[in-house]
Amino acid sequence: QPTDPSLAVGPDHVFVVFNTGFAIYDKDGNTLIGQTSPNPAIFPSSGCCDLTVSYDPVAVSAGNPTPGRWVVSFLGGGAQVAVSDGPDPVTSGWNVYNINTINDYQKLSVWSDGYYVSDQSNGNRMYAMERQAMIDGESAGNVSIQGFSLPNFNNQGFASVQALNISDDDYPAPGHATIVFFQDDAYAGQADDSIKFWDLDVDFDTPGNSTISAPQEVLVTPFTSIFDGTAFDNLSQPNGGADIDALQGIIMNQAQYKKFPTYESAIFNFVIDIDPGGGEQAAIRWYEFRRNSPTDPWAMEQEGTFSDPDGRHFWHASMIMDTQGNIGMGFSVLGNAATGNGTANEFVSSYYTGRFASDPNGTMTIAPQLIACLLYTSPSPRDGLLSR
């Protein structure tokens, strides 16, 4: 069962990871490497889980000037991070590095000067790894790795921040990486619902010169981000299935950065509960922020809450923006689904939506489009199986 799936796309390959393994395909969907354990295929040391994958399209090394490198992380003995030594993930070797103080649920983002890795546990929430040294295959002792706690950081329970991830090959100048997290007024020490941004400026040669800013805080439309007191069992499945995780307390992977000629854009999302009184209904709160330059503050361009008027859960979203400013968003659905014959119980399904840059702000104007689903009609699921 490939749980926690994610993927990265290069010019010729689709690299898919799941909680405990990976697979690699070409762009026609042909399997090049079937489901494989990351140890020892990529990582020499054993671990448990939480794989991530990213593609760094402009990375080059002195030994191999062909651009493009794959970056894979794996939880075990801390966080292990592997960088391919070439653009082909099937034939390349791997340079592996370790952050042994990371405890749980690491997420990796690509920035101009570093690979930034989060840790959801208390202590250092963000680590910066010296990108070019890793691409060049330097020994571990020659790669600068620095950890940072986030000033004025409030949370309740599980908390996973994100560094902005560059989403194409137009990289900004090195430095001034942005870390983002949401703040619920239900969190201890937090007065308002807001988004906080931290500016992380890393000096890999002289760590004492590295700085992390006090947060920039932007008040937003109120939201409720807590389900069941932060428990992991939240959203009811049809026919008495066990409740599953709403993935609260998480900036969903990945928070994406894009540079335009006159401004920079950041898009990200997290799950909220739009029925916190009488029940639970998961919905997606999403944002676009902009700034004019790397040293300017972020300003909210638009925010939206994407929910189902029929009461199904919408959550577990992933966003991307193209060069025209259009946004695509994939997401998961669970609950009661309307059908031509009435109502059906919809198990966890995949959908996408989106908006054009010219659409009114704060709206996803593309009606939810089905990717894959499993429906059981009620009340006789065995006789009414609908699989699409």
Side-chain angles (χ1 to χ4, degrees):
Q1 54 170 18
T3 57
D4 297 334
S6 184
L7 60 82
V9 180
D12 303 306
H13 300 87
V14 179
F15 195 126
V16 179
V17 298
F18 53 99
N19 191 269
T20 57
F22 71 95
I24 300 175
Y25 304 86
D26 66 20
K27 285 192 169 180
D28 292 322
N30 298 308
T31 301
L32 304 179
I33 296 179
Q35 292 190 16
T36 301
S37 171
N39 165 258
I42 297 175
F43 299 95
S45 300
S46 61
C48 71
C49 49
D50 285 355
L51 273 83
T52 73
V53 62
S54 299
Y55 181 67
D56 185 347
V58 305
V60 296
S61 63
N64 186 350
T66 305
R69 300 293 185 270
W70 301 86
V71 189
V72 181
S73 76
F74 181 43
L75 187 67
Q80 303 173 52
V81 177
V83 181
S84 66
D85 61 12
D88 187 335
V90 176
T91 60
S92 293
W94 298 89
N95 305 312
V96 180
Y97 305 90
N98 180 257
I99 308 174
N100 59 19
T101 51
I102 284 182
N103 293 292
D104 187 30
Y105 201 70
Q106 84 290 341
K107 298 297 176 214
L108 186 144
S109 298
V110 176
W111 195 248
S112 303
D113 59 352
Y115 296 130
Y116 287 78
V117 187
S118 66
D119 183 357
Q120 78 86 16
S121 302
N122 291 325
N124 290 329
R125 296 284 183 175
M126 186 60 59
Y127 291 82
M129 308 181 75
E130 189 177 6
R131 172 175 168 266
Q132 191 59 52
M134 297 168 70
I135 294 168
D136 290 339
E138 295 280 356
S139 63
N142 291 327
V143 174
S144 177
I145 301 175
Q146 301 176 39
F148 302 86
S149 59
L150 303 182
N152 197 18
F153 178 87
N154 298 316
N155 69 288
Q156 180 172 329
F158 201 93
S160 181
V161 306
Q162 286 266 321
L164 296 187
N165 176 76
I166 302 171
S167 59
D168 58 17
D169 60 0
D170 190 3
Y171 279 30
H176 297 289
T178 295
I179 315 303
V180 61
F181 194 61
F182 56 93
Q183 304 280 257
D184 193 318
D185 62 4
Y187 298 166
Q190 184 63 33
D192 301 289
D193 292 331
S194 68
I195 305 296
K196 284 182 179 175
F197 299 94
W198 291 263
D199 182 271
L200 183 50
D201 201 25
V202 181
D203 187 326
F204 287 104
D205 294 323
T206 310
N209 292 337
S210 298
T211 60
I212 184 156
S213 70
Q216 175 199 351
E217 185 168 14
V218 181
L219 301 186
V220 297
T221 299
F223 57 81
T224 297
S225 67
I226 298 175
F227 292 74
D228 303 307
T230 71
F232 290 169
D233 303 318
N234 317 117
L235 308 182
S236 298
Q237 297 189 83
N239 296 347
D243 286 0
I244 61 176
D245 194 352
L247 301 171
Q248 61 194 297
I250 299 170
I251 295 286
M252 295 305 299
N253 196 45
Q254 288 173 304
Q256 297 285 12
Y257 165 92
K258 195 168 186 67
K259 183 159 70 77
F260 290 89
T262 59
Y263 65 90
E264 300 173 320
S265 177
I267 58 174
F268 54 90
N269 77 90
F270 53 90
V271 66
I272 64 172
D273 185 2
I274 60 172
D275 185 20
E280 290 178 337
Q281 184 183 349
I284 299 161
R285 174 64 64 88
W286 63 272
Y287 296 92
E288 181 189 5
F289 279 80
R290 294 181 181 180
R291 67 183 181 187
N292 295 326
S293 77
T295 57
D296 286 331
W298 290 98
M300 186 169 65
E301 174 67 15
Q302 56 180 323
E303 65 174 347
T305 298
F306 189 64
S307 62
D308 182 29
D310 296 325
R312 290 178 298 173
H313 299 297
F314 286 3
W315 88 113
H316 195 202
S318 180
M319 302 173 69
I320 194 69
M321 177 182 283
D322 68 12
T323 56
Q324 297 176 330
N326 309 310
I327 295 174
M329 184 170 77
F331 62 101
S332 294
V333 174
L334 172 68
N336 294 326
T339 70
N341 298 319
T343 300
N345 294 325
E346 184 167 3
F347 290 84
V348 178
S349 305
S350 296
Y351 285 77
Y352 70 89
T353 181
R355 55 170 281 110
F356 295 99
S358 58
D359 290 339
N361 274 3
T363 59
M364 290 288 172
T365 54
I366 306 301
Q369 302 294 307
L370 178 68
I371 299 171
C373 77
L374 186 63
L375 300 178
Y376 285 87
T377 57
S378 179
S380 302
R382 182 177 297 276
D383 297 331
L385 175 64
L386 299 174
S387 179
R388 297 195 295 185

